[in-house]
Amino acid sequence: MLILMHPDATRQQIDAVRDRIKEIGLEPHEIPGSMRVAIGITGNQGALSPELFTHFGGVAECVPVSQPYKLVSREVKPEPTIVEVGDVRIGDGGLAVIAGPCSVESRDQVFRAAEAVAQSGVKLFRGGAFKPRTSPYAFQGLKQEGLKLLDEVRSEFGLRIVTEVKDAETLNEVAQVADVLQIGARNMQNFTLLENAGRLRMPVLLKRGMSATLKELFMAAEYLLSLGNFEVILCERGIRTFETMTRNTFDLSAVVLIKHHSHLPVIADPSHGVGIDYAVPPLAKAAVLAGADGVMVEVHPEPDKALSDGQQSLTFDAYNKLAAELRDLTAWRTAHP
Ligand code: PEP
Ligand code: MN
């Protein structure tokens, strides 16, 4: 159930409704909106009767919510959520580009990549310090040393940092350096990590699990929102199918469906979605036209020497060409709503 308050409802009226929700053993969630306050209710097993609240002062309407994901759904919040990272507004109709290497490998590597990204006019830099790898023998990231390098990148190049948090134990130290916390595909249903990140008040980029349905992605995001963190960006990064010529199958339809069913912004990650360098630019461009709020691409000064994901990393030349094309396409999209 969603309770829509009148635009001129007083704080007292809002609090009276919240208190009543708590009295009947349920959880109220005040949903940020530009025009008026809405209060989502969670914790109920069956449907709630609107009569419980319609007589309260300041209540405009009680709307049943049909989806199991409530706070994430457009039913509850029709207007798009805009997540602010520095002066980048993700979800406002523009295109946020996140670029950088898969992993932070060395000062030289990360500074060269950061310089190229900054020169292209992009403000969001990605790079993993803690890497969840399929093999325990593969490069696991520079960890704390990697975080220090990312901190230097921020001050040296004025870039905002998107970096992955691998577990609840390292959440606080990663959160001190990250401007956006990335929760990776392998951790989409790490509920302890989601609960801890939900208690923070900072942007989270939540990637779709490699075998997760969109409903499962929404439910994972619901953990974050239900704990009060509304600064959530969803990320389509490809799913497992029977196809073996690509690393994953990049699910472009997910971009369209996420925007339809949720108010949260969506970022497309064709690098992990397809896993092949030459296929990344066309899919990144397709994602813009499908309505993505942003695109994340892996870039490396020397992809052949990358310690992770070199096969899908763009050279600076390929990246610069793509960055310019993405700008043109975004302008075209704005002119053709
Ligand atoms: C990454 O972004 O480098 C990464 C590990 O992504 P995913 O969690 O989507 O595999
Ligand atoms: Mn990667």
Side-chain angles (χ1 to χ4, degrees):
M1 165 100 73
L2 178 72
I3 301 175
L4 299 173
M5 303 299 291
H6 278 297
D8 54 3
T10 63
R11 187 69 244 172
Q12 253 177 338
Q13 289 173 324
I14 296 166
D15 287 343
V17 173
R18 290 177 59 117
D19 289 347
R20 180 70 188 131
I21 296 169
K22 284 191 204 149
E23 260 169 38
I24 58 175
L26 303 176
E27 193 69 37
H29 302 271
E30 230 173 281
I31 298 162
S34 53
M35 301 299 283
R36 59 181 174 179
V37 167
I39 305 171
I41 305 177
T42 59
N44 50 306
Q45 297 304 323
L48 288 172
S49 161
E51 280 79 63
L52 280 167
F53 302 101
T54 38
H55 63 282
F56 273 78
V59 170
E61 211 184 329
C62 296
V63 187
V65 179
S66 57
Q67 299 298 344
Y69 45 90
K70 296 176 189 302
L71 305 175
V72 161
S73 83
R74 275 233 189 236
E75 279 180 287
V76 159
K77 185 170 181 279
E79 70 207 71
T81 287
I82 297 172
V83 176
E84 292 185 25
V85 185
D87 57 4
V88 181
R89 288 165 53 82
I90 306 174
D92 74 349
L95 187 80
V97 178
I98 305 171
C102 179
S103 304
V104 176
E105 299 171 5
S106 66
R107 175 181 267 102
D108 176 64
Q109 172 251 13
V110 83
F111 270 49
R112 282 164 75 194
E115 189 179 25
V117 168
Q119 271 173 7
S120 74
V122 164
K123 310 257 177 72
L124 305 175
F125 185 75
R126 65 148 290 147
F130 290 90
K131 296 299 299 177
R133 303 301 302 280
T134 302
S135 164
Y137 307 119
F139 176 58
Q140 303 287 315
L142 295 182
K143 304 185 173 144
Q144 281 79 8
E145 183 54 31
L147 289 180
K148 271 195 218 139
L149 292 173
L150 287 171
D151 214 17
E152 287 182 35
V153 161
R154 188 211 331 271
S155 33
E156 183 79 18
F157 298 95
L159 291 162
R160 299 285 169 156
I161 304 298
V162 181
T163 194
E164 178 160 1
V165 55
K166 195 161 71 72
D167 47 44
E169 287 76 14
T170 51
L171 176 62
N172 286 340
E173 52 185 321
V174 176
Q176 274 169 25
V177 171
D179 294 291
V180 179
L181 274 176
Q182 177 173 318
I183 296 185
R186 289 157 192 79
N187 264 320
M188 188 200 84
Q189 286 185 319
N190 178 339
F191 299 114
T192 308
L193 182 56
L194 292 173
E195 282 166 2
N196 283 288
R199 290 193 192 97
L200 300 177
R201 295 292 171 271
M202 66 177 291
V204 174
L205 177 73
L206 178 64
K207 299 187 91 174
R208 181 183 186 182
M210 56 192 79
S211 302
T213 63
L214 291 180
K215 212 173 246 180
E216 286 163 339
L217 172 64
F218 292 150
M219 293 309 293
E222 190 79 13
Y223 271 83
L224 299 166
L225 273 69
S226 67
L227 286 154
N229 193 350
F230 278 74
E231 297 177 73
V232 176
I233 307 152
L234 301 177
C235 179
E236 162 56 35
R237 49 76 72 205
I239 49 173
R240 281 259 164 97
T241 68
F242 50 78
E243 182 54 69
T244 54
M245 285 183 77
T246 51
R247 177 178 179 175
N248 291 294
T249 294
F250 179 59
D251 183 8
L252 193 54
S253 61
V255 171
V256 180
L257 268 82
I258 290 170
K259 299 262 354 137
H260 180 84
H261 289 282
S262 177
H263 53 86
L264 296 174
V266 58
I267 298 263
D269 170 1
S271 301
H272 295 86
V274 65
I276 306 167
D277 54 3
Y278 68 79
V280 170
L283 293 174
K285 291 184 273 183
V288 176
L289 296 187
D293 298 295
V295 165
M296 178 150 94
V297 289
E298 288 184 337
V299 187
H300 195 284
E302 292 170 276
D304 296 348
K305 296 193 181 146
L307 297 182
S308 62
D309 288 352
Q311 74 292 346
Q312 66 196 33
S313 298
L314 301 184
T315 60
F316 292 162
D317 282 349
Y319 166 71
N320 284 324
K321 180 167 180 285
L322 174 62
E325 289 170 341
L326 292 177
R327 265 193 300 279
D328 289 349
L329 279 175
T330 307
W332 186 89
R333 181 174 85 172
T334 308
H336 300 82

